[in-house]
Amino acid sequence: MAQIRPVKQIVDGDNLMEGGGFPVRRPFPTPDMDQVDPFLLLDQMGPVDWAPGEAIGAPDHPHRGFETVTYVLQGRMQHKDSRGHQGELGPGDVQWMTAGGGVVHSEMPHPEFFKTGGVMHGFQLWVNLPRRDKMMTPRYQEIAGADLPTATSEDEKVWVRVVAGESLGVGAVIDTRIPITFLHFRVQPGGSVQQIVPADHNAFAWMIAGDSVVDEGGTTAREGQMALFGPGDAVHLSVPEGAEQPAELLLLAGVPLHEPVARYGPFVMNTQAEIIEAINDFRAGRMGAIDF
Ligand code: FE
């Protein structure tokens, strides 16, 4: 018998401006919660309805020591980086970027989207790298939504897109440095799902839309809230039969690193000396520049 994890804490996402000035909803880091080891940050971008010519992104900036995961639900983004890589992200697409030793990139609205305007909605997750991987060669995994595995429960009330990990018998195509679960669930009224989350993982759910009962005690998490799970080896999610709308949520879990975290803006290392080295390397141009 799986032991269902109880909810330890419900956290309201903070409303903030990020990058060049786009609105995000952020459950952590906040003054009260600096991380959910191994996760350093979760931002929900929007949803924001941009007028033509007004969409804002994050122009050239560096990263070192962790991974940035971008998952787009609506809108269209364009990515460029100092290693000559260029990519495009539309609804359902994921970019899993391992910044490793350092990269400079830009995350902007796609020029076409900028022109027309429209709704931008998506996520950025920062996954910490273990000490041994912090200076690894950067790598990218860019997967189109159509190529990301999905599954539907037998009663068709639960749909899941598997970005990382495994759910409803389907495994991910993205490779992670440490075991990570990144699932996007849609649960219809009257639907429920029991998801295995190994006991040595930290786990949380982020509510994108609707409400969901997130443990056996009946704790409800609502849109814009994070449910942080306590000990156990499975998570149980359900939406009451009479609910007005389906619940949409991200379920995230990973093995904690239990390593010291020194963070300064876009650099996340283990020591302050390594942060200073990162700043110096960036200023000296050793993380490159975007030249196209
Ligand atoms: Fe970035």
Side-chain angles (χ1 to χ4, degrees):
M1 267 292 280
Q3 194 203 332
I4 305 298
R5 290 170 178 254
V7 170
K8 198 159 69 176
Q9 197 179 344
I10 294 283
V11 177
D12 287 307
D14 277 355
N15 291 302
L16 303 162
M17 290 295 181
E18 201 26 277
F22 57 86
V24 301
R25 195 108 202 236
R26 176 180 296 172
F28 68 92
T30 64
D32 296 329
M33 190 177 294
D34 61 335
Q35 63 165 342
V36 180
D37 192 6
F39 303 109
L40 297 162
L41 168 149
L42 178 68
D43 273 352
Q44 174 175 294
M45 305 181 274
V48 52
D49 194 356
W50 294 111
E54 286 193 348
I56 290 170
D60 309 12
H61 60 279
H63 290 294
R64 172 182 280 182
F66 60 104
E67 302 181 287
T68 64
V69 182
T70 308
Y71 176 40
V72 173
L73 296 184
Q74 282 176 277
R76 207 170 156 203
M77 290 175 65
Q78 188 183 56
H79 171 263
K80 289 183 182 180
D81 69 59
S82 53
R83 298 173 63 83
H85 176 96
Q86 180 169 336
E88 204 182 292
L89 289 168
D93 300 347
V94 168
Q95 183 204 62
W96 198 292
M97 182 184 91
T98 307
V103 77
V104 173
H105 75 163
S106 67
E107 302 156 280
M108 301 297 289
H110 189 279
E112 287 298 316
F113 179 88
F114 181 79
K115 230 182 280 173
T116 58
V119 176
M120 186 73 88
H121 188 200
F123 301 91
Q124 183 154 103
L125 175 73
W126 288 10
V127 183
N128 206 356
L129 284 169
R131 189 191 297 267
R132 64 174 182 275
D133 287 340
K134 281 194 177 291
M135 293 299 284
M136 69 181 274
T137 303
R139 72 166 179 176
Y140 302 86
Q141 299 175 81
E142 219 153 46
I143 314 286
D147 297 327
L148 284 168
T150 61
T152 305
S153 63
E154 247 168 65
D155 66 2
E156 298 192 345
K157 288 186 170 167
V158 180
W159 170 91
V160 65
R161 180 181 276 133
V162 180
V163 177
E166 203 179 311
S167 185
L168 298 177
V170 172
V173 295
I174 285 174
D175 177 47
T176 61
R177 300 300 296 183
I178 53 171
I180 299 284
T181 296
F182 183 145
L183 305 170
H184 175 186
F185 279 109
R186 192 177 301 123
V187 183
Q188 300 295 331
S192 69
V193 61
Q194 189 162 309
Q195 171 68 40
I196 296 293
V197 177
D200 61 344
H201 286 48
N202 284 334
F204 70 90
W206 169 256
M207 298 303 301
I208 305 169
D211 303 338
S212 176
V213 177
V214 283
D215 66 9
E216 288 185 312
T219 308
T220 296
R222 304 180 194 286
E223 181 176 323
Q225 291 184 326
M226 170 176 86
L228 188 61
F229 294 106
D233 50 24
V235 166
H236 192 267
L237 308 166
S238 64
V239 176
E241 189 69 61
E244 281 173 15
Q245 58 169 323
E248 204 154 330
L249 60 99
L250 301 182
L251 181 64
L252 288 154
V255 178
L257 301 177
H258 298 304
E259 289 180 358
V261 174
R263 80 200 264 173
Y264 177 77
F267 308 125
V268 184
M269 303 302 288
N270 296 116
T271 68
Q272 204 51 39
E274 289 165 346
I275 289 292
I276 290 163
E277 190 185 3
I279 294 168
N280 289 339
D281 283 349
F282 170 59
R283 288 194 181 145
R286 285 190 285 270
M287 294 183 192
I290 301 171
D291 53 8
F292 61 98

